[in-house]
């Protein structure tokens, strides 16, 4: 979505001689097809990143704040460059710019996968290396191999190499943001220029439908890829001992980037063959369009030089922002965008942790439930606007009511969860991981190999549970059972412990949680189309392009950039114990789930209330004005994601 979505038809447009040739690259229909696939590929990457972020976080030991920065970093390049795109508009060879952008994005996706190939194998605390590893070693016999918690040389090298992973991923994200800049705005303006007037809304509708549903494919791909083990390319099947349910499981997060990069590369190729200008599509009897009308719609920006344009931008932005309805609606949308950005980045992690689900399953919930419900809401909102011929005031009322209802349905979500399971020495009472019963076991301090005791208490490792023996699977020497655990007291004798987390006892809340959250998504999305309508109807026609540009700029600067970082920081504050590797903090091992839920969902309720207040104020302002301004009749049009897809009304009076 960008500044130039509503870019008027270009003055460069010439009527080209209509040859009867069948060259597909002279057909706008073929362009629309290519562009649909390209946008899908582009959204696949960005959706995929969000679906795999909790896995990347665990793999490279990031805090959630760092993953928030990573998730929002593509907006940096995007924000900086979008102004230029709206300036250059149709002055450049648009298909080539789109193709070039897609190639850059493809390269960026390769870069995102790169850390996997330059870093070594994923290492976790393992009990396979020697016979007694992971067990309580009573006296100091194995002191040298185990209690020595400084890391080995290879671990240290690996740990140092991982310091470079974050900058590399950031660079990939920056490049991805830059590559994606020309794709949508140039694509839309190109289609708008060369499609027949009759078909143009259809084409834009197709593109926007893909834009809305595209991220869902990213989450679906995430769900598929994260089922494979991260080192699937380096290990054979019987060398993989972790189970998907294990909290240490890392899925093949990089695989999706490789797939998406190839997809992007292939879809970028046709763009190198599309002409700079193509014959305008002939459709029915509107082949002769009044070009005078096109001239009238010209932006002032088209005639300015770049420096003039850059100078005039703040002025026009300020002029637009002085319109109170515009300001209020944009602020409301910024609140909603912040809500969605936080949700998109961390919802999977929340489901994973709160309901003890795999990353793969959490992503299915988002891609298969939340996003489709939101798309349905957007479509229904558009249909309602069109069918009921709702006025601006009616739109404000609809938005206010939808957001109020959305906040109300979000409130029960706060109750649908449970506390962190009991983890000895960590939760509910924290003793910094040392337990009296296993104090003499010389357990490695950085071990994270959770086991679930037969008394229902979780231990951070089998050693911390004081287990003295283990029972192995004969086939693959996987540990089945740790026995004689002195920290587990069952009727006066030592209990046993099974590998893996006990998990939260919350799985039964998952279904109602998903129902309520899908409902929330659906209701909130109803406000999307009406709120865009309010913006387009309240700004001056000549400022419309700028208004939409400024709107998306504010989305980026106030919502998409800071929101994931804010959410990540809030999530970090709820961590009980951080993982350690070679003395460095890695990602969080245990969260206080009650506080996690309250802060994560609380932020959403907060942004929801912010949006509600803004919509309510805009409604009051409109009421106040109702007597002074007569509403224009016949201003009905359908909007999806901010782009007009019905008949032109902007110049009618
Ligand atoms: C683990 O070992 C204990 C003690 O030998 C036994 O009672 C328990 O049934 C075993 N559990 C499993 C799942 O093998």
């Amino acid at each position: 979505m960008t500044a130039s979505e509503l870019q008027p038809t270009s003055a460069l447009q010439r009527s080209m001689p209509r040859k009867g040739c069948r060259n597909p690259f002279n057909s706008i229909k073929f362009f629309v097809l290519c562009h649909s696939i390209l946008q899908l590929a582009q959204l696949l990457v960005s959706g995929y990143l969000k679906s795999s972020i909790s896995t990347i976080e665990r793999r490279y030991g990031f805090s959630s704040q760092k993953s928030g920065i990573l998730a929002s970093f593509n907006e940096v390049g995007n924000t900086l460059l979008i102004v230029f795109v709206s300036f250059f508009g149709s002055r450049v060879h648009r298909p080539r710019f789109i193709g070039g952008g897609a190639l850059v994005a493809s390269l960026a996706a390769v870069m995102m996968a790169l850390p996997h190939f330059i870093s070594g194998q994923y290492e976790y605390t393992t009990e396979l290396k020697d016979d007694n590893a992971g067990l309580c070693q009573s006296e100091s016999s194995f002191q040298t191999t185990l209690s020595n918690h400084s890391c080995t040389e290879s671990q240290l090298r690996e740990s140092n190499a991982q310091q470079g992973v974050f900058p590399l991923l950031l660079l990939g994200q920056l490049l991805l943001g830059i590559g994606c800049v020309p794709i949508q705005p140039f694509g839309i303006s190109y289609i708008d220029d060369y499609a027949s007037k009759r078909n143009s809304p259809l084409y834009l509708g197709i593109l926007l439908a893909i834009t809305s549903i595209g991220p869902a494919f990213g989450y679906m791909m995430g769900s598929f890829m994260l089922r494979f083990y991260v080192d699937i390319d380096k290990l054979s099947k019987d060398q993989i001992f972790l189970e998907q349910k294990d909290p240490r499981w890392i899925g093949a997060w990089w695989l999706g980037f490789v797939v998406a990069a190839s997809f992007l590369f292939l879809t970028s190729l046709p763009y190198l063959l599309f002409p700079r200008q193509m014959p305008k599509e002939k459709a029915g009897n509107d082949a002769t369009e009044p070009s005078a009308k096109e001239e009238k719609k010209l932006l002032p920006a088209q005639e300015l030089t770049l420096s003039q344009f850059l100078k005039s931008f703040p002025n026009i932005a300020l002029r637009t922002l002085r319109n109170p309805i515009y300001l209020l609606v944009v602020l409301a949308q910024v609140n909603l965008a912040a809500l969605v950005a936080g949700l998109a980045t961390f919802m999977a992690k929340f489901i994973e942790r709160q309901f003890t689900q795999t990353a793969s399953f959490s992503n299915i919930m988002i891609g298969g439930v939340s996003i489709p419900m939101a798309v349905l809401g957007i479509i229904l909102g558009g249909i309602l606007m069109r069918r009921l011929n709702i006025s601006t005031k009616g739109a404000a009322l609809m938005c206010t009511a939808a957001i109020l209802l959305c906040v109300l349905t979000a409130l029960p979500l706060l109750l649908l969860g449970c506390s962190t399971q009991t983890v000895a020495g960590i939760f509910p009472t924290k003793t910094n991981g040392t337990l009296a019963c296993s104090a003499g076991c010389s357990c490695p301090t950085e071990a994270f190999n959770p086991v679930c005791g037969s008394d229902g208490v979780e231990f951070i490792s089998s050693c911390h549970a004081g287990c003295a023996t283990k029972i192995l699977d004969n086939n693959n020497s996987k540990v089945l059972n740790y026995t004689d655990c002195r920290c587990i007291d069952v009727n006066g004798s030592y209990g046993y412990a099974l590998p893996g987390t006990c998990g939260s006892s919350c799985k039964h809340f998952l279904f109602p949680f998903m129902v309520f959250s899908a409902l929330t998504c659906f209701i909130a999305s109803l406000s999307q189309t009406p709120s865009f309508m309010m913006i387009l109807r309240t700004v001056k026609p000549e400022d419309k392009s700028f208004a939409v540009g400024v709107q998306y700029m504010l989305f980026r600067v106030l919502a998409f950039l800071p929101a994931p970082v804010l959410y990540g920081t809030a999530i970090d504050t709820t961590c009980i114990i951080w993982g350690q590797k070679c003395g460095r903090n890695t990602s969080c091992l245990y969260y206080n789930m009650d506080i996690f839920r309250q802060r994560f969902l609380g932020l959403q309720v907060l942004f929801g209330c912010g949006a509600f207040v803004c919509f309510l104020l805009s409604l009051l302002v409109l009421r106040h004005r109702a007597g002074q301004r007569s509403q224009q009749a016949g201003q009905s049009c359908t909007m999806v994601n901010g782009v007009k897809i019905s008949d032109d009304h902007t110049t009618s009076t």
Side-chain angles (χ1 to χ4, degrees):
M1 280 333 103
T2 64
S4 40
E5 264 176 8
L6 291 182
Q7 195 133 8
T9 320
S10 126
L12 286 173
Q13 175 193 319
R14 281 176 223 145
S15 53
M16 306 255 292
R18 290 204 175 90
K19 287 179 234 155
C21 67
R22 288 255 154 257
N23 179 1
F25 293 101
N26 268 336
S27 150
I28 193 73
K29 283 199 176 72
F30 186 62
F31 184 87
V32 172
L33 177 71
C34 290
H35 207 64
S36 304
I37 300 172
L38 178 61
Q39 287 219 326
L40 197 63
Q42 177 208 334
L43 292 161
L44 199 66
V45 188
S46 49
Y48 182 76
L49 174 86
K50 295 200 168 72
S51 77
S52 57
I53 198 117
S54 71
T55 298
I56 296 176
E57 185 177 316
R58 215 172 317 150
R59 173 68 179 89
Y60 293 107
F62 299 154
S63 63
S64 292
Q65 186 182 46
K66 267 188 163 179
S67 21
I69 294 173
L70 184 58
S72 60
F73 210 70
N74 63 339
E75 302 292 344
V76 173
N78 218 306
T79 311
L80 292 177
L81 288 175
I82 205 78
V83 180
F84 295 96
V85 169
S86 51
F87 169 71
F88 283 111
S90 44
R91 297 178 188 197
V92 294
H93 193 306
R94 282 172 288 178
R96 262 186 217 155
F97 264 69
I98 297 171
L103 283 178
V104 171
S106 161
L107 185 71
V110 171
M111 273 181 80
M112 300 291 293
L114 209 56
H116 171 74
F117 298 101
I118 57 175
S119 58
Q121 217 169 293
Y122 168 54
E123 284 193 29
Y124 50 92
T125 320
T126 170
E127 59 288 284
L128 298 162
K129 281 180 186 159
D130 81 60
D131 289 345
N132 288 316
L135 295 180
C136 179
Q137 322 264 305
S138 309
E139 295 314 320
S140 55
S141 51
F142 286 90
Q143 201 79 10
T144 42
T145 51
L146 280 173
S147 78
N148 185 3
H149 58 255
S150 70
C151 45
T152 65
E153 216 162 284
S154 73
Q155 278 175 321
L156 191 64
R157 216 179 312 122
E158 178 70 18
S159 168
N160 285 334
Q162 286 191 5
Q163 299 300 103
V165 166
F166 190 62
L168 191 61
L169 288 173
L170 280 187
L171 195 61
Q173 273 283 78
L174 185 71
L175 219 55
L176 187 65
I178 292 172
C180 290
V181 166
I183 295 179
Q184 202 183 30
F186 282 160
I188 286 180
S189 72
Y190 193 80
I191 291 171
D192 198 39
D193 280 0
Y194 300 116
S196 71
K197 190 153 193 151
R198 212 173 118 211
N199 287 344
S200 174
L202 173 72
Y203 296 154
L204 293 183
I206 292 173
L207 283 188
L208 293 163
I210 286 172
T211 310
S212 325
I213 200 76
F217 289 100
Y219 283 97
M220 289 301 198
M221 183 163 83
S223 168
F224 181 73
M225 299 301 180
L226 294 178
R227 266 177 232 177
F228 300 104
Y229 186 67
V230 57
D231 288 320
I232 194 162
D233 57 331
K234 297 171 186 161
L235 297 175
S236 68
K237 210 170 176 188
D238 49 336
Q239 284 175 298
I240 299 168
F241 296 97
L242 280 185
E243 308 231 344
Q244 238 199 94
K245 283 181 304 206
D246 196 293
R248 292 165 295 166
W249 170 269
I250 305 277
W253 59 273
W254 52 274
L255 207 54
F257 287 114
V258 175
V259 171
S262 333
F263 193 22
L264 269 171
F265 178 76
L266 290 178
T267 48
S268 73
L269 296 179
Y271 285 87
L272 307 175
L273 298 170
F274 277 109
R276 181 172 176 157
Q277 286 156 344
M278 68 161 66
K280 194 164 171 90
E281 187 185 33
K282 214 164 37 172
N285 37 17
D286 67 3
T288 51
E289 279 175 43
S291 59
K293 195 176 164 190
E294 309 286 354
E295 304 287 345
K296 218 167 48 180
K297 273 167 59 183
L298 262 187
L299 261 185
Q302 302 277 329
E303 293 138 17
L304 300 175
T305 67
L306 185 58
S307 70
Q308 282 172 319
F309 172 81
L310 287 177
K311 273 184 207 141
S312 67
F313 197 83
N315 283 335
I316 303 181
L318 274 182
R319 188 172 79 202
T320 323
L321 284 173
R322 239 178 263 141
N323 175 347
I325 299 292
Y326 175 80
L327 187 64
L328 285 169
V329 174
V330 168
L331 282 182
Q333 289 185 334
V334 162
N335 273 290
L336 292 177
L339 193 160
V340 168
L343 214 62
T345 317
F346 291 113
M347 180 73 157
K349 185 190 178 83
F350 179 73
I351 295 176
E352 239 173 87
R353 294 296 183 133
Q354 178 66 80
F355 304 108
T356 327
Q357 300 294 337
T358 62
S360 170
F361 181 83
S362 311
N363 284 316
I364 285 202
M365 288 290 110
I366 296 172
V369 181
S370 304
I371 298 180
M373 286 305 276
V375 173
L376 274 184
I378 294 173
I379 294 173
L380 186 68
I383 293 176
L384 283 179
M385 282 298 287
R386 199 186 164 92
R387 281 284 152 82
L388 305 179
N389 203 1
I390 290 173
S391 66
T392 310
K393 215 174 92 193
L397 188 63
M398 189 168 151
C399 293
T400 315
I403 298 303
L404 179 64
L405 205 59
C406 162
V407 171
L408 291 181
T409 49
L411 285 177
L413 293 178
L414 281 166
L415 304 173
L416 292 172
C418 30
S419 310
T420 313
Q421 67 272 28
T422 310
V423 184
I426 290 166
F427 188 84
T429 43
K430 193 173 172 183
T431 59
N432 288 323
T434 48
L435 299 167
C437 50
S438 59
C441 292
S442 38
C443 297
T445 51
E446 297 185 349
F448 181 58
N449 165 34
V451 294
C452 187
S454 49
D455 56 353
V457 175
E458 185 164 327
F459 290 85
I460 198 163
S461 81
S462 45
C463 179
H464 286 87
C467 302
T469 46
K470 58 187 172 188
I471 299 168
L472 300 177
D473 187 333
N474 289 333
N475 300 329
N476 55 9
S477 66
K478 212 175 191 168
V479 180
L480 295 175
N481 200 347
Y482 293 96
T483 50
D484 298 325
C485 306
R486 63 169 88 155
C487 293
I488 304 166
D489 180 23
V490 184
N491 302 328
S493 60
Y494 291 165
Y496 64 93
L498 300 177
T501 170
C502 296
S504 71
S505 47
C506 244
K507 288 187 179 160
H508 57 290
F509 278 141
L510 179 65
F511 183 70
F513 179 87
M514 283 319 297
V515 169
F516 272 105
S517 86
L519 205 62
T520 313
C521 287
F522 177 72
I523 298 172
S525 316
L526 286 176
S527 71
Q528 165 103 340
T529 309
S531 62
F532 272 109
M533 288 305 307
M534 287 169 72
I535 287 181
L536 290 175
R537 284 182 189 177
T538 48
V539 296
K540 291 197 201 101
E542 67 267 27
D543 284 351
K544 217 159 270 189
S545 239
F546 270 105
V548 176
V550 169
Q551 179 190 9
Y552 280 104
M553 193 76 114
L554 290 177
F555 279 13
R556 291 212 161 81
V557 176
L558 298 179
F560 295 148
L561 260 172
V565 186
L566 178 70
Y567 272 81
T569 312
I571 290 172
D572 281 342
T573 62
T574 70
C575 184
I576 309 171
I577 187 160
W578 290 92
Q580 298 272 327
K581 217 169 206 175
C582 292
R584 286 198 185 104
N585 266 12
T586 61
S587 51
C588 186
L589 301 183
Y590 290 102
Y591 291 98
N592 183 326
M593 283 318 307
D594 287 318
I595 308 184
F596 188 157
R597 188 172 61 251
Q598 282 156 18
R599 298 209 175 140
F600 180 67
L601 298 174
L603 270 178
Q604 289 175 44
V605 171
L606 192 74
F607 285 127
C609 290
F612 171 70
V613 169
C614 293
F615 278 134
L616 188 66
L617 285 177
S618 72
L619 183 64
L620 294 179
V621 173
L622 281 170
R623 272 230 171 127
H624 182 71
R625 281 187 185 171
Q628 304 161 358
R629 233 191 218 183
S630 62
Q631 294 294 313
Q632 292 174 347
Q635 272 199 346
S636 157
C637 83
T638 302
M639 302 273 313
V640 177
N641 270 348
V643 168
K644 182 162 61 71
I645 57 170
S646 83
D647 294 314
D648 176 62
H649 73 282
T650 54
T651 47
S652 64
T653 36

